[in-house]
Amino acid sequence: MTLKIHIDEGVAPYEQVRAQIAEQARSGVLPVGYRLPTVRGLAESLGLAANTVAKAYRALETDGVIETRGRNGTFVAAAGPAAEREAAGAAQAYAERVVRLGLSEEAASAAVRDALRAAYGD
């Protein structure tokens, strides 16, 4: 696992850790079941505070990218189907909300396209 933190980039270090691990897990660079370094170990190797790495790990666990198995460590989770189920649930909640708000299907779709462009940097 290779992570590079750029302090003067304007992106919070924990978000850089989160994004890089998530991308490496999605792309297969970090295979399902790969054991991640301890919070303290990764923090030391990156020159970050342990709380910074812990915050990134918590966000990754919430997103279903990693799972903590108690004293056994933290591992890359099998996130494919789980991530798709979570996305489907979020999409359903969004659809119900925009209907309640009275948005047209076209306006709701445009809002999603804009949000995805912003999130993916397009």
Side-chain angles (χ1 to χ4, degrees):
M1 177 172 76
T2 304
L3 302 177
K4 294 183 180 157
I5 305 304
H6 304 283
I7 300 300
D8 47 335
E9 190 174 277
V11 178
Y14 92 90
E15 175 56 24
Q16 292 180 53
V17 171
R18 187 210 59 77
Q20 289 178 46
I21 291 174
E23 175 55 33
Q24 289 180 30
R26 265 192 292 279
S27 69
V29 170
L30 296 177
V32 171
Y34 177 85
R35 186 175 183 180
L36 296 169
T38 64
V39 167
R40 184 170 290 150
L42 184 57
E44 287 175 8
S45 71
L46 295 174
L48 297 172
N51 286 340
T52 300
V53 174
K55 185 175 181 179
Y57 274 23
R58 281 191 304 272
L60 288 162
E61 192 157 21
T62 298
D63 292 345
V65 175
I66 64 173
E67 59 186 7
T68 300
R69 301 177 190 162
R71 293 183 179 262
N72 293 322
T74 303
F75 300 83
V76 173
E84 291 168 11
R85 282 193 305 274
E86 187 171 337
Q92 182 64 41
Y94 175 76
E96 292 169 2
R97 178 79 173 136
V98 296
V99 167
R100 283 194 308 273
L101 291 171
L103 268 68
S104 68
E105 186 175 337
E106 184 178 313
S109 294
V112 169
R113 281 191 303 277
D114 291 344
L116 289 171
R117 276 190 214 106
Y120 285 99
D122 292 342

